[in-house]
């Protein structure tokens, strides 16, 4: 019984490189959410996706960040040209429907050198 | 603007010493208030969902209650393994499923 899976668990990038974070939702879940937790801050919503569609990206920075949830495969959060301020824990959550409980993955901890 | 404030920021208890954590919220059209537990280095673990004022839910030593302006997480006779950060979140109107989180309360229970 797999919960929400995220990989990698830890990712180190140098400034200017690209970071790709993957999220596989729980079985039967078609709604995926990405949140970011900066050091000493709370969880902040970034983006909400359903299969092949971005529903709400109001929390995502306008530049360098993008997300997708293709018909096949995991959801991907992509950060281009990373900067030190991108260092954070990125969590993915999934739900069966938009009004249902969101279950979180273990997170990817991104460190930008 | 939807907002969630949790208090206290940190709480130290002796084993067996009961207490409550507070979550005050401002949201347009509450469509769910959620409690999660987060251990260091891990993702939030779901505890409870409350939908309407007066609703209560219990699980082992934890009990969550909801009013029109705030929610309480009551911890009865806590044990050291209850030590964690407890997060409160709300979902407002709109069809995005977006959760607004508070800063959390870090609980430490000493034996």
């Amino acid at each position: 019984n797999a919960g929400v899976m995220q990989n990698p668990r830890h990712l180190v990038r140098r400034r200017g490189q690209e970071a790709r974070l993957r999220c596989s939702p729980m079985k039967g879940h078609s709604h995926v959410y990405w949140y970011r937790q900066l050091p000493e801050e709370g969880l902040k919503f970034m983006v909400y996706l359903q299969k092949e569609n971005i529903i709400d990206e109001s929390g995502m920075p306008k530049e360098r960040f993008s997300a997708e949830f293709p018909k096949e495969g995991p959801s991907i959060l992509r950060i281009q040209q990373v900067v030190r301020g991108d260092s954070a824990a990125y969590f993915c959550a999934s739900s069966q429907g938009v009004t249902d409980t969101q279950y979180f993955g273990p997170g990817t901890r991104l460190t930008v050198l | 603007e939807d907002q969630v404030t949790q208090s206290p920021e940190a709480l130290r208890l002796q084993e067996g010493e009961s207490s409550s954590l507070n979550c005050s919220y401002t949201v347009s059209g509450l469509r769910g208030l959620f409690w999660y537990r987060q251990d260091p280095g891990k993702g939030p673990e779901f505890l409870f969902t409350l939908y309407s004022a007066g609703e209560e839910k219990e699980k082992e030593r934890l009990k969550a209650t909801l009013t029109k302006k705030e929610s309480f997480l009551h911890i009865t006779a806590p044990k050291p393994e209850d030590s964690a950060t407890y997060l409160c979140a709300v979902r407002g109107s709109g069809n995005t499923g977006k959760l607004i989180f508070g800063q959390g309360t870090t609980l430490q229970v000493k034996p």
Side-chain angles (χ1 to χ4, degrees):
Chain A
N1 175 26
V4 178
M5 298 173 67
Q6 290 187 249
N7 67 80
R9 295 292 309 277
H10 299 274
L11 183 61
V12 179
R13 286 287 179 264
R14 297 192 180 278
R15 281 178 295 169
Q17 292 184 320
E18 178 179 291
R20 283 194 179 218
L21 287 62
R22 294 175 183 77
C23 168
S24 296
M26 286 178 69
K27 189 175 180 181
H29 287 192
S30 59
H31 300 253
V32 166
Y33 313 81
W34 287 92
Y35 293 84
R36 178 164 67 172
Q37 191 170 42
L38 291 165
E40 308 304 322
E41 292 191 20
L43 278 160
K44 303 289 186 191
F45 169 82
M46 298 181 74
V47 61
Y48 160 45
L49 310 101
Q50 292 182 33
K51 283 286 187 181
E52 299 185 277
N53 288 304
I54 297 175
I55 308 301
D56 180 1
E57 55 183 347
S58 60
M60 199 136 79
K62 295 281 186 280
E63 297 180 355
R64 302 188 297 107
F65 285 73
S66 62
E68 62 177 13
F69 189 16
K71 188 175 180 182
E72 300 291 336
S75 174
I76 295 175
L77 180 68
R78 182 182 177 203
I79 311 173
Q80 295 178 292
Q81 299 177 327
V82 296
V83 301
R84 289 216 173 112
D86 296 332
S87 295
Y90 292 82
F91 292 96
C92 168
S94 73
S95 67
Q96 201 164 23
V98 67
T99 60
D100 295 321
T101 296
Q102 295 178 23
Y103 295 91
F104 282 78
T108 293
R109 278 144 189 87
L110 172 66
T111 301
V112 180
L113 301 178
Chain B
E1 182 182 340
D2 298 346
Q3 196 169 359
V4 177
T5 303
Q6 291 188 246
S7 62
E9 286 187 19
L11 182 62
R12 287 186 178 183
L13 298 173
Q14 289 296 129
E15 185 172 0
E17 180 186 1
S18 301
S19 188
S20 297
L21 282 55
N22 177 265
C23 170
S24 298
Y25 64 89
T26 304
V27 65
S28 54
L30 181 70
R31 294 170 66 234
L33 184 141
F34 304 83
W35 283 98
Y36 288 86
R37 168 191 171 132
Q38 187 174 25
D39 292 295
K42 297 191 176 180
E45 174 189 344
F46 171 71
L47 293 174
F48 303 109
T49 307
L50 303 166
Y51 288 103
S52 54
E55 191 174 356
E56 298 182 352
K57 290 202 176 164
E58 281 188 73
K59 179 181 177 181
E60 296 180 355
R61 296 177 292 282
L62 299 177
K63 178 180 175 181
T65 61
L66 181 65
T67 72
K68 288 188 177 179
K69 293 184 178 180
E70 56 191 351
S71 176
F72 291 94
L73 185 65
H74 306 279
I75 303 176
T76 302
K79 298 182 178 182
E81 53 261 42
D82 294 323
S83 298
T85 296
Y86 290 85
L87 302 172
C88 172
V90 297
R91 182 167 58 210
S93 58
N95 198 32
T96 73
K98 169 183 177 180
L99 296 182
I100 307 296
F101 279 87
Q103 296 288 87
T105 293
T106 300
L107 172 66
Q108 184 180 26
V109 181
K110 294 192 170 182

